[in-house]
Amino acid sequence: LVRFMREGEHRDEAMIALGSLGARQYGPEIASYTKHEWWHIRLAAAEALARLGEKGHAQAIAPLLQDESLDVRRTAFDALARLGARDCIGAIRERLQDSSAEVRGRAVRTLSRLDARECRDDIAALLHDDGPVEIDKGHVVESRVSDFAREALKAWGVPPP
């Protein structure tokens, strides 16, 4: 697997497999691929780091929240939530202002998963954001940024306005 990760053709699958196997000794090398020129390699690196489960890798993943590829950004949000990366709340919070509704919705969901109650006012500001967000759970389910904002605030016991 390590040879495949280093030599190319199946690099993305090898990284994800190493992450699934918990090969933590390769974490720093996998983290270096978050800066790779190809989007699918950056995506695989974020997924592999999330599977390794070490919070310290969150700092390598956080810059991917601004990646040019929406798929990479989706994976980065999920990876940070899975790692419990509360130290990245500031970077995630910034994405609440993103021009993409998909990104704003993912940011709300991630902050909710991280129990980032300190962001409740920022999230409440999105209660009227009807931008569409597609969530893939075996099938595409379309929702709205406002739905995620309402859901997060409700979970935190914040009454609707």
Side-chain angles (χ1 to χ4, degrees), residues 6-21:
R6 292 177 178 158
E7 293 179 6
E9 190 175 332
H10 299 285
R11 180 175 286 146
D12 48 352
E13 291 111 344
M15 279 191 288
I16 291 172
L18 287 167
S20 295
L21 292 170

PDB file of all heavy atoms in Angstrom, residues 6-21:
ATOM      1  N   ARG A   6       2.951   6.091  -2.814  1.00  0.00           N
ATOM      2  CA  ARG A   6       4.097   6.906  -3.237  1.00  0.00           C
ATOM      3  C   ARG A   6       4.296   6.942  -4.745  1.00  0.00           C
ATOM      4  O   ARG A   6       4.869   7.901  -5.255  1.00  0.00           O
ATOM      5  CB  ARG A   6       5.363   6.394  -2.561  1.00  0.00           C
ATOM      6  CG  ARG A   6       5.353   6.637  -1.075  1.00  0.00           C
ATOM      7  CD  ARG A   6       6.572   6.079  -0.399  1.00  0.00           C
ATOM      8  NE  ARG A   6       6.542   6.381   1.029  1.00  0.00           N
ATOM      9  CZ  ARG A   6       7.210   5.701   1.928  1.00  0.00           C
ATOM     10  NH1 ARG A   6       7.982   4.680   1.580  1.00  0.00           N
ATOM     11  NH2 ARG A   6       7.120   6.031   3.200  1.00  0.00           N
ATOM     12  N   GLU A   7       3.837   5.913  -5.438  1.00  0.00           N
ATOM     13  CA  GLU A   7       4.180   5.811  -6.851  1.00  0.00           C
ATOM     14  C   GLU A   7       3.078   6.213  -7.811  1.00  0.00           C
ATOM     15  O   GLU A   7       3.297   6.216  -9.005  1.00  0.00           O
ATOM     16  CB  GLU A   7       4.678   4.388  -7.160  1.00  0.00           C
ATOM     17  CG  GLU A   7       5.994   4.112  -6.479  1.00  0.00           C
ATOM     18  CD  GLU A   7       6.503   2.712  -6.744  1.00  0.00           C
ATOM     19  OE1 GLU A   7       5.903   1.979  -7.546  1.00  0.00           O
ATOM     20  OE2 GLU A   7       7.526   2.364  -6.126  1.00  0.00           O
ATOM     21  N   GLY A   8       1.918   6.507  -7.350  1.00  0.00           N
ATOM     22  CA  GLY A   8       0.996   7.130  -8.256  1.00  0.00           C
ATOM     23  C   GLY A   8      -0.331   6.553  -8.616  1.00  0.00           C
ATOM     24  O   GLY A   8      -1.318   6.973  -8.065  1.00  0.00           O
ATOM     25  N   GLU A   9      -0.409   5.628  -9.516  1.00  0.00           N
ATOM     26  CA  GLU A   9      -1.657   5.295 -10.184  1.00  0.00           C
ATOM     27  C   GLU A   9      -2.839   5.043  -9.242  1.00  0.00           C
ATOM     28  O   GLU A   9      -3.946   5.470  -9.509  1.00  0.00           O
ATOM     29  CB  GLU A   9      -1.468   4.097 -11.105  1.00  0.00           C
ATOM     30  CG  GLU A   9      -2.659   3.858 -11.996  1.00  0.00           C
ATOM     31  CD  GLU A   9      -2.415   2.743 -12.987  1.00  0.00           C
ATOM     32  OE1 GLU A   9      -1.256   2.507 -13.363  1.00  0.00           O
ATOM     33  OE2 GLU A   9      -3.396   2.105 -13.372  1.00  0.00           O
ATOM     34  N   HIS A  10      -2.606   4.375  -8.142  1.00  0.00           N
ATOM     35  CA  HIS A  10      -3.681   4.082  -7.186  1.00  0.00           C
ATOM     36  C   HIS A  10      -3.439   4.778  -5.846  1.00  0.00           C
ATOM     37  O   HIS A  10      -3.829   4.276  -4.803  1.00  0.00           O
ATOM     38  CB  HIS A  10      -3.817   2.567  -6.994  1.00  0.00           C
ATOM     39  CG  HIS A  10      -4.160   1.858  -8.259  1.00  0.00           C
ATOM     40  ND1 HIS A  10      -5.409   1.897  -8.818  1.00  0.00           N
ATOM     41  CD2 HIS A  10      -3.390   1.117  -9.102  1.00  0.00           C
ATOM     42  CE1 HIS A  10      -5.408   1.204  -9.935  1.00  0.00           C
ATOM     43  NE2 HIS A  10      -4.198   0.725 -10.135  1.00  0.00           N
ATOM     44  N   ARG A  11      -2.817   5.926  -5.920  1.00  0.00           N
ATOM     45  CA  ARG A  11      -2.443   6.674  -4.716  1.00  0.00           C
ATOM     46  C   ARG A  11      -3.658   6.957  -3.828  1.00  0.00           C
ATOM     47  O   ARG A  11      -3.588   6.788  -2.609  1.00  0.00           O
ATOM     48  CB  ARG A  11      -1.778   7.989  -5.133  1.00  0.00           C
ATOM     49  CG  ARG A  11      -1.338   8.844  -3.968  1.00  0.00           C
ATOM     50  CD  ARG A  11      -0.575  10.058  -4.450  1.00  0.00           C
ATOM     51  NE  ARG A  11       0.746   9.599  -4.874  1.00  0.00           N
ATOM     52  CZ  ARG A  11       1.429  10.136  -5.881  1.00  0.00           C
ATOM     53  NH1 ARG A  11       0.928  11.114  -6.589  1.00  0.00           N
ATOM     54  NH2 ARG A  11       2.615   9.678  -6.189  1.00  0.00           N
ATOM     55  N   ASP A  12      -4.755   7.391  -4.422  1.00  0.00           N
ATOM     56  CA  ASP A  12      -5.922   7.742  -3.612  1.00  0.00           C
ATOM     57  C   ASP A  12      -6.474   6.527  -2.855  1.00  0.00           C
ATOM     58  O   ASP A  12      -6.718   6.600  -1.652  1.00  0.00           O
ATOM     59  CB  ASP A  12      -7.001   8.419  -4.454  1.00  0.00           C
ATOM     60  CG  ASP A  12      -7.325   7.707  -5.755  1.00  0.00           C
ATOM     61  OD1 ASP A  12      -6.626   6.738  -6.120  1.00  0.00           O
ATOM     62  OD2 ASP A  12      -8.288   8.133  -6.413  1.00  0.00           O
ATOM     63  N   GLU A  13      -6.626   5.391  -3.549  1.00  0.00           N
ATOM     64  CA  GLU A  13      -7.134   4.198  -2.879  1.00  0.00           C
ATOM     65  C   GLU A  13      -6.171   3.703  -1.801  1.00  0.00           C
ATOM     66  O   GLU A  13      -6.599   3.237  -0.743  1.00  0.00           O
ATOM     67  CB  GLU A  13      -7.386   3.066  -3.887  1.00  0.00           C
ATOM     68  CG  GLU A  13      -8.545   3.353  -4.829  1.00  0.00           C
ATOM     69  CD  GLU A  13      -8.082   3.582  -6.250  1.00  0.00           C
ATOM     70  OE1 GLU A  13      -6.880   3.810  -6.471  1.00  0.00           O
ATOM     71  OE2 GLU A  13      -8.938   3.533  -7.142  1.00  0.00           O
ATOM     72  N   ALA A  14      -4.881   3.795  -2.072  1.00  0.00           N
ATOM     73  CA  ALA A  14      -3.880   3.344  -1.095  1.00  0.00           C
ATOM     74  C   ALA A  14      -3.934   4.199   0.164  1.00  0.00           C
ATOM     75  O   ALA A  14      -3.857   3.664   1.281  1.00  0.00           O
ATOM     76  CB  ALA A  14      -2.484   3.393  -1.720  1.00  0.00           C
ATOM     77  N   MET A  15      -4.072   5.521   0.005  1.00  0.00           N
ATOM     78  CA  MET A  15      -4.155   6.394   1.184  1.00  0.00           C
ATOM     79  C   MET A  15      -5.372   6.055   2.031  1.00  0.00           C
ATOM     80  O   MET A  15      -5.282   5.961   3.262  1.00  0.00           O
ATOM     81  CB  MET A  15      -4.213   7.864   0.762  1.00  0.00           C
ATOM     82  CG  MET A  15      -2.887   8.446   0.431  1.00  0.00           C
ATOM     83  SD  MET A  15      -2.953  10.240   0.243  1.00  0.00           S
ATOM     84  CE  MET A  15      -3.825  10.383  -1.304  1.00  0.00           C
ATOM     85  N   ILE A  16      -6.513   5.877   1.383  1.00  0.00           N
ATOM     86  CA  ILE A  16      -7.740   5.563   2.123  1.00  0.00           C
ATOM     87  C   ILE A  16      -7.604   4.217   2.833  1.00  0.00           C
ATOM     88  O   ILE A  16      -8.011   4.068   3.990  1.00  0.00           O
ATOM     89  CB  ILE A  16      -8.961   5.623   1.193  1.00  0.00           C
ATOM     90  CG1 ILE A  16      -9.216   7.083   0.791  1.00  0.00           C
ATOM     91  CG2 ILE A  16     -10.197   5.027   1.864  1.00  0.00           C
ATOM     92  CD1 ILE A  16     -10.263   7.278  -0.277  1.00  0.00           C
ATOM     93  N   ALA A  17      -6.999   3.249   2.172  1.00  0.00           N
ATOM     94  CA  ALA A  17      -6.780   1.939   2.803  1.00  0.00           C
ATOM     95  C   ALA A  17      -5.856   2.068   4.014  1.00  0.00           C
ATOM     96  O   ALA A  17      -6.119   1.476   5.070  1.00  0.00           O
ATOM     97  CB  ALA A  17      -6.205   0.955   1.798  1.00  0.00           C
ATOM     98  N   LEU A  18      -4.791   2.842   3.876  1.00  0.00           N
ATOM     99  CA  LEU A  18      -3.879   3.046   5.018  1.00  0.00           C
ATOM    100  C   LEU A  18      -4.605   3.720   6.178  1.00  0.00           C
ATOM    101  O   LEU A  18      -4.405   3.369   7.337  1.00  0.00           O
ATOM    102  CB  LEU A  18      -2.662   3.868   4.585  1.00  0.00           C
ATOM    103  CG  LEU A  18      -1.642   3.134   3.719  1.00  0.00           C
ATOM    104  CD1 LEU A  18      -0.652   4.119   3.097  1.00  0.00           C
ATOM    105  CD2 LEU A  18      -0.905   2.073   4.530  1.00  0.00           C
ATOM    106  N   GLY A  19      -5.473   4.675   5.846  1.00  0.00           N
ATOM    107  CA  GLY A  19      -6.270   5.320   6.890  1.00  0.00           C
ATOM    108  C   GLY A  19      -7.186   4.328   7.582  1.00  0.00           C
ATOM    109  O   GLY A  19      -7.293   4.304   8.808  1.00  0.00           O
ATOM    110  N   SER A  20      -7.843   3.482   6.793  1.00  0.00           N
ATOM    111  CA  SER A  20      -8.758   2.478   7.355  1.00  0.00           C
ATOM    112  C   SER A  20      -8.028   1.473   8.230  1.00  0.00           C
ATOM    113  O   SER A  20      -8.584   0.969   9.206  1.00  0.00           O
ATOM    114  CB  SER A  20      -9.481   1.735   6.229  1.00  0.00           C
ATOM    115  OG  SER A  20     -10.320   2.620   5.527  1.00  0.00           O
ATOM    116  N   LEU A  21      -6.781   1.190   7.872  1.00  0.00           N
ATOM    117  CA  LEU A  21      -5.975   0.240   8.649  1.00  0.00           C
ATOM    118  C   LEU A  21      -5.370   0.873   9.895  1.00  0.00           C
ATOM    119  O   LEU A  21      -4.744   0.187  10.693  1.00  0.00           O
ATOM    120  CB  LEU A  21      -4.866  -0.352   7.770  1.00  0.00           C
ATOM    121  CG  LEU A  21      -5.345  -1.264   6.644  1.00  0.00           C
ATOM    122  CD1 LEU A  21      -4.195  -1.590   5.699  1.00  0.00           C
ATOM    123  CD2 LEU A  21      -5.956  -2.536   7.227  1.00  0.00           C
TER     124      LEU A  21
END
